[in-house]
Amino acid sequence: MKGNSIILERSKEISSKEMQILISVIHKYNLELISAEKVRNSYMIITNNGKFCLKRRKHGKTRIRNECILTQELLLNDFTNIAKYFKTNDASFSVSYKKSIYFLKEWIEGSECDLTNIDEAVNCIKLLAQFHNISKKVDHNKIYISKKIKNLPKSFSHNLSNMEKLERIIVSKRIKNEFDILYLENANDFYYRGIAAIDILNKSQYYKLLKSSIDNKLICHNSFYYQNIIKKDGKYFIIDLDSISIDLQICDLGKLIRRLMFKKAYVWNFYFAKALIEAYSSINKLSKEDLNIILALITFPYSFFKLGRKRYIKHKKWSETKYLHKLSKITKYNEIQQKFFNDYSAYVKEYI
């Protein structure tokens, strides 16, 4: 085919065999492939009818179907801040090719949002609140999301048990390195922070709110972060609904705030968390109970536990320098975090 040489010149990282697969897949959409480029875990493809995003998965036809239908439902309810999906010539949601599944989406020409900029983060939080609001209006009977609900108190307790296991592993080592010593020195503080998170949940209406979320099939994005948000001409777009689940929607907000507070731009300053909370609440009103559950999500020492699991259980092959850098980044905020939690608790008491 004459176009192949052009394609290969523009896509040196894509093999000739891979390109032939893409040509075959795109043909199912009645399109001709001109060029392709890998961007993260997707392909940016140029066709005879414009630019598209082609994604590949090893499994998950139902998930792809859910994404497509949810996108259609959001658009029907005037939520246009979303990347559109396209069906094949025979109205299928995806194309199966050997052991992979491919599906086609709109390519939104823009830039990834900068969540370290508080103004941009506020705009993205408002987008999240709008997404949560509009997703309540969709026809949930068309979407079949598996109800693998994460019970937070149970999950936190399980993680704390694993933290005890990590501590035993370190203690049993005859020779301890710098990482071992630093992890062990901080283990108790983070463990009791986990206990505090469970206590907050147990004193809240967590189970009542979770039951309501399940009964009403409330959709949680589950991966609301910069790589899934594109800014174009001052407007923000959600480009991926791969991880949607039925859950407490405020989990999206809590997890995002927790991640952002570790950034240099925020360094656990409650002023910024308050700005994000109030931005969300201006679109989708939060209750005191919501704020308590968000506090529990932020309080639990997930980063500390996750790093220990990577080191002592999964044995991730990172350099000693990288491990120490990550641990130091987590532990150095101890005192500031305590002030953050105190400021947050005071805010909840005065919240109307």
Side-chain angles (χ1 to χ4, degrees):
M1 185 182 292
K2 186 177 179 181
N4 284 358
S5 60
I6 299 174
I7 294 166
L8 290 170
E9 283 178 13
R10 296 186 183 182
S11 310
K12 293 177 182 177
E13 63 194 73
I14 299 177
S15 69
S16 157
K17 182 180 179 182
E18 190 175 2
M19 193 61 68
Q20 289 302 323
I21 293 171
L22 298 184
I23 291 169
S24 299
V25 168
I26 289 304
H27 185 68
K28 298 288 186 181
Y29 291 90
N30 199 28
L31 296 168
E32 290 183 19
L33 190 62
I34 297 172
S35 69
E37 179 183 341
K38 283 184 177 176
V39 179
R40 289 192 179 277
N41 60 345
S42 306
Y43 299 96
M44 181 191 74
I45 61 168
I46 307 295
T47 74
N48 60 322
N49 197 27
K51 190 180 291 187
F52 296 88
C53 173
L54 183 68
K55 304 200 78 171
R56 180 181 67 182
R57 298 223 186 101
K58 291 295 182 184
H59 50 78
K61 274 191 173 184
T62 301
R63 287 171 68 183
I64 294 168
R65 177 190 179 281
N66 283 338
E67 287 181 62
C68 184
I69 292 177
L70 178 56
T71 299
Q72 291 171 346
E73 288 288 309
L74 290 169
L75 289 167
L76 285 172
N77 283 279
D78 297 322
F79 184 82
T80 57
N81 306 67
I82 194 85
K84 300 179 183 70
Y85 282 70
F86 300 95
K87 291 185 180 180
T88 65
N89 295 336
D90 61 0
S92 297
F93 295 105
S94 59
V95 176
S96 296
Y97 193 98
K98 293 185 178 178
K99 294 183 179 180
S100 294
I101 307 167
Y102 297 82
F103 57 103
L104 197 67
K105 300 173 63 174
E106 176 185 13
W107 180 269
I108 296 175
E109 197 68 66
S111 58
E112 290 179 341
C113 68
D114 179 12
L115 289 174
T116 62
N117 179 315
I118 186 61
D119 293 328
E120 197 146 317
V122 160
N123 288 330
C124 290
I125 287 287
K126 288 181 178 179
L127 172 65
L128 175 64
Q130 290 163 0
F131 167 77
H132 286 164
N133 266 343
I134 301 298
S135 65
K136 294 172 185 176
K137 301 177 182 179
V138 305
D139 186 350
H140 293 90
N141 293 319
K142 295 180 180 178
I143 307 166
Y144 307 111
I145 304 175
S146 176
K147 291 183 181 179
K148 294 180 180 177
I149 308 296
K150 182 180 282 189
N151 181 314
L152 287 180
K154 188 176 180 179
S155 174
F156 286 175
S157 295
H158 177 71
N159 289 344
L160 287 182
S161 295
N162 280 327
M163 279 180 67
E164 292 172 359
K165 179 181 177 182
L166 298 178
E167 193 171 355
R168 289 195 297 271
I169 290 171
I170 300 170
V171 169
S172 68
K173 292 180 71 173
R174 290 180 62 191
I175 300 174
K176 297 174 180 62
N177 59 26
E178 191 176 350
F179 182 93
D180 298 330
I181 294 166
L182 184 59
Y183 198 90
L184 205 55
E185 284 175 350
N186 286 276
N188 270 353
D189 285 346
F190 283 103
Y191 182 86
Y192 286 112
R193 192 173 292 172
I195 294 290
I198 294 171
D199 188 53
I200 292 169
L201 288 177
N202 287 337
K203 290 177 179 177
S204 74
Q205 294 182 31
Y206 170 75
Y207 287 108
K208 180 181 177 180
L209 294 177
L210 181 62
K211 183 179 184 304
S212 177
S213 295
I214 295 169
D215 291 344
N216 293 294
K217 299 181 179 179
L218 298 189
I219 294 172
C220 197
H221 185 279
N222 234 358
S223 187
F224 193 81
Y225 207 46
Y226 73 92
Q227 64 267 39
N228 290 326
I229 313 163
I230 295 292
K231 182 181 179 182
K232 177 185 178 183
D233 301 328
K235 186 175 179 181
Y236 296 85
F237 294 83
I238 297 173
I239 59 168
D240 203 331
L241 297 172
D242 178 39
S243 302
I244 56 171
S245 64
I246 301 296
D247 206 341
L248 281 169
Q249 292 182 324
I250 51 172
C251 287
D252 279 336
L253 178 59
K255 286 189 284 189
L256 180 59
I257 292 174
R258 182 179 65 196
R259 288 182 84 165
L260 292 183
M261 288 305 107
F262 279 103
K263 300 296 180 184
K264 288 181 181 179
Y266 300 109
V267 288
W268 292 92
N269 185 331
F270 181 68
Y271 168 81
F272 295 115
K274 180 173 176 282
L276 298 173
I277 287 167
E278 293 183 350
Y280 183 96
S281 198
S282 69
I283 306 293
N284 193 3
K285 180 65 177 173
L286 294 168
S287 67
K288 277 194 176 187
E289 285 302 319
D290 291 329
L291 293 180
N292 279 322
I293 293 167
I294 291 170
L295 176 59
L297 280 164
I298 299 172
T299 301
F300 191 83
Y302 186 70
S303 297
F304 183 79
F305 159 68
K306 189 177 177 183
L307 183 61
R309 185 178 60 181
K310 284 180 179 177
R311 177 64 181 256
Y312 300 109
I313 297 176
K314 293 191 172 183
H315 304 290
K316 192 170 180 66
K317 293 181 180 179
W318 283 345
S319 68
E320 199 64 23
T321 303
K322 185 171 183 176
Y323 267 116
L324 274 170
H325 172 73
K326 286 185 174 291
L327 182 56
S328 298
K329 185 179 176 182
I330 294 168
T331 57
K332 74 178 181 180
Y333 293 125
N334 248 338
E335 287 186 21
I336 305 174
Q337 281 178 325
Q338 194 53 58
K339 183 180 185 309
F340 175 94
F341 299 138
N342 292 339
D343 290 344
Y344 191 118
S345 297
Y347 175 74
V348 174
K349 286 179 182 177
E350 300 297 322
Y351 187 79
I352 299 174

